[in-house]
Amino acid sequence: MTIHVRFAPSPTGRLHVGNARIALVNWLFARAQGGQFMFRLDDTDTERSTAEFAAGIEEDLRWLGLAWDSFARESDRMARYARAVEDLKAAGRLYPAWETAEELDLKRKLQIAQHRPPVYDRAALNLGAADHERLTAERGPPHWRFKLDGRRVTWSDLVKGETVVDTASLSDPVLIRADGRPLYTLTSVVDDIDFAISHVIRGEDHVTNTGVQIELFEALGGAVPGFGHLSLLVDASGAGLSKRTGSLSLGSLREQGIEPLAVNGLLARLGTADPVEPVATLESLIDGFDIGRFGKAPARFDPAELAALSARTLHLLSFEAVRDRLPEGASEAFWHAVRGNLATLAEAAVWWQVVTGPLAVPAIDDAAAVLAAAAQMLPPGPHDETVWSTWTKSIGAATGVKGKALFLPLRLALTGQDHGPEMRVLLPLIGENELRRRLNTALGK
Ligand code: GLU
């Protein structure tokens, strides 16, 4: 079987970590099995969809590194949905209804007051041709509902195992609005059939939809794909993340300096029993990926865990992986020297400044002997990584100063900071002339 999955966001907002998890799991599911990953924009809701959000989602996916093999936009396929609508009408599965939102709301309130389930009562199903004519004249065109079979729809879910939705307990869903626009419940199934989607992997909030949509696949004569419903992400208090989507949007994580690979690394493990570990490449997440490892319980997302993983991820990244984002001229040796000290990549620029200068070196007045000896004994460049050790040994021997009293003034004089990457690796990067200049400045010369 050819594996073909899709990530199908509606362009009514930007992606947040919850969406990213669905996208990533689809992508990994496809990549691990030599399958295809489609990016589809569910943009039939023309009131809420915008071109800006669509472009933003594309940018977010690119940032994550989740390349797609094919792309579709639902708004390009309206003629196809119109044909599917005709097929469903011909099969007697669509019926017109004219109730207003207020009338439906009233019905629901009444049902609830009478302790009955708030399910659409199918009043419109009993209307005859004369009623249709009259209602159209009085109220304009109808919306159209899908007549559910009302049965126990079952499937073997990739995450949840055997799953049942009793469609007898559901309202017949509206598939076409009164203005003629088809709704997601229908368009998604038509696309999944046409693009030969083998597996629909999405959030648990779609389980009920799946019951309805399996009936639709069958009504349209399409092959029913496999389904997997991932549990939702929750915060530390167990609440859903929906209220915090702003701060957890991919755009905002990017602004915070979070590495996309850390987002992927965390989201590939959350909700599984597997440990969260930094990875150096996206590809390394593909090997051995198994959607069956995701549990049914909600997965806890902790922004602090993401930030920590992001730093640990940076420490692993190759020069190739970051060179485009480093300051102009930064070398591989520089990257290897500083990466272990970074919390975000932006901090590399600070160390680049330290290495290349100009650097404001504080005057250090309580270590004149050490600094004078250092200036005098600095070997001629170019330096390698052994110089720091031989140089400081000779300074120590000449001055009798050891340990922190020796190393701290040197570090301060040469980097302007009391902490940072190993001096052994910084020294060759700074270079003899600049080292001399800094030592002299620290000596007040
Ligand atoms: N557009 C739907 C959503 O964003 C897609 C759900 C699905 O994967 O079928 O929730």
Side-chain angles (χ1 to χ4, degrees):
M1 179 210 255
T2 313
I3 300 293
H4 199 172
V5 294
R6 84 291 194 286
F7 173 59
S10 303
T12 55
R14 291 292 289 264
L15 300 186
H16 56 81
V17 284
N19 311 123
R21 181 162 177 254
I22 302 293
L24 174 70
V25 170
N26 272 288
W27 189 88
L28 289 172
F29 186 83
R31 290 289 174 269
Q33 300 175 86
Q36 302 275 306
F37 173 71
M38 169 178 248
F39 169 31
R40 183 180 93 201
L41 281 173
D42 284 0
D43 61 348
T44 51
D45 180 350
T46 47
E47 273 145 28
R48 294 168 59 226
S49 301
T50 70
E52 287 72 35
F53 284 137
I57 289 172
E58 194 174 322
E59 188 187 334
D60 290 339
L61 279 182
R62 285 190 203 284
W63 181 69
L64 285 173
L66 304 181
W68 48 96
D69 305 298
S70 59
F71 172 77
R73 195 190 336 255
E74 292 201 326
S75 56
D76 292 341
R77 292 173 39 78
M78 299 313 261
R80 171 66 185 101
Y81 306 135
R83 285 207 308 282
V85 166
E86 290 318 309
D87 292 346
L88 289 174
K89 282 184 186 169
R93 294 301 294 270
L94 286 180
Y95 61 94
W98 282 265
E99 289 98 338
T100 62
E102 294 73 33
E103 284 166 346
L104 292 169
D105 196 43
L106 201 64
K107 282 192 196 202
R108 270 193 297 272
K109 284 192 177 128
L110 226 76
Q111 287 167 316
I112 290 167
Q114 294 167 354
H115 304 288
R116 287 187 291 141
V119 175
Y120 177 61
D121 61 8
R122 292 186 156 173
L125 202 49
N126 300 319
L127 301 172
D131 300 315
H132 291 175
E133 218 168 292
R134 176 180 52 81
L135 285 163
T136 305
E138 284 173 15
R139 299 187 166 208
H143 52 270
W144 294 79
R145 288 186 185 263
F146 178 59
K147 188 165 169 280
L148 290 167
D149 278 341
R151 60 181 169 93
R152 286 166 61 82
V153 175
T154 62
W155 70 93
S156 177
D157 196 277
L158 295 168
V159 178
K160 298 167 67 68
E162 282 311 306
T163 306
V164 183
V165 169
D166 184 356
T167 57
S169 70
L170 303 177
S171 299
D172 288 335
V174 175
L175 296 191
I176 303 124
R177 300 175 16 145
D179 63 8
R181 275 188 279 160
L183 289 169
Y184 153 78
T185 307
L186 171 66
T187 56
S188 178
V189 171
V190 174
D191 291 348
D192 290 341
I193 293 172
D194 287 2
F195 297 117
I197 295 301
S198 64
H199 296 83
V200 172
I201 300 167
R202 53 189 177 184
E204 199 170 40
D205 48 331
H206 283 288
V207 165
T208 305
N209 276 344
T210 296
V212 169
Q213 289 182 324
I214 286 178
E215 281 205 18
L216 258 175
F217 275 102
E218 291 170 352
L220 288 165
V224 179
F227 285 92
H229 294 85
L230 291 170
S231 68
L232 299 182
L233 293 184
V234 294
D235 66 16
S237 73
L241 295 183
S242 54
K243 289 198 196 73
R244 307 186 39 202
T245 48
S247 65
L248 297 178
S249 72
L250 298 187
S252 135
L253 295 178
R254 178 169 45 216
E255 273 165 31
Q256 293 162 42
I258 298 289
E259 287 299 309
L261 200 49
V263 176
N264 289 322
L266 183 62
L267 294 179
R269 293 284 181 273
L270 279 192
T272 74
D274 302 330
V276 172
E277 280 160 354
V279 291
T281 64
L282 184 55
E283 286 63 38
S284 58
L285 293 172
I286 298 172
D287 232 13
F289 174 81
D290 175 6
I291 192 171
R293 300 198 63 77
F294 286 90
K296 296 181 213 170
R300 212 156 285 249
F301 174 81
D302 175 3
E305 185 180 15
L306 177 59
L309 184 69
S310 184
R312 291 171 65 208
T313 300
L314 265 183
H315 305 168
L316 290 182
L317 290 184
S318 70
F319 177 58
E320 284 312 315
V322 296
R323 76 186 303 163
D324 295 348
R325 296 190 287 149
L326 289 179
E328 182 83 29
S331 63
E332 183 161 11
F334 166 77
W335 174 243
H336 286 155
V338 302
R339 66 179 177 179
N341 283 75
L342 306 177
T344 65
L345 191 79
E347 292 170 8
V350 175
W351 290 111
W352 184 242
Q353 182 73 35
V354 165
V355 164
T356 56
L359 185 74
V361 173
I364 301 166
D365 15 76
D366 56 353
V370 167
L371 296 174
Q376 202 192 359
M377 300 174 131
L378 180 66
H383 299 147
D384 63 22
E385 290 186 12
T386 66
V387 168
W388 173 252
S389 152
T390 49
W391 182 38
T392 51
K393 270 197 193 95
S394 50
I395 302 166
T399 58
V401 180
K402 298 186 292 219
K404 198 172 167 196
L406 171 65
F407 296 115
L408 187 60
L410 285 173
R411 178 180 279 282
L412 267 175
L414 298 174
T415 70
Q417 312 232 19
D418 61 5
H419 69 282
E422 286 181 76
M423 292 303 297
R424 169 177 71 81
V425 290
L426 286 179
L427 217 59
L429 294 167
I430 298 170
E432 184 192 346
N433 289 343
E434 182 66 13
L435 290 169
R436 272 194 203 292
R437 198 193 59 76
R438 292 178 190 183
L439 287 170
N440 287 334
T441 310
L443 281 164
K445 287 192 193 162

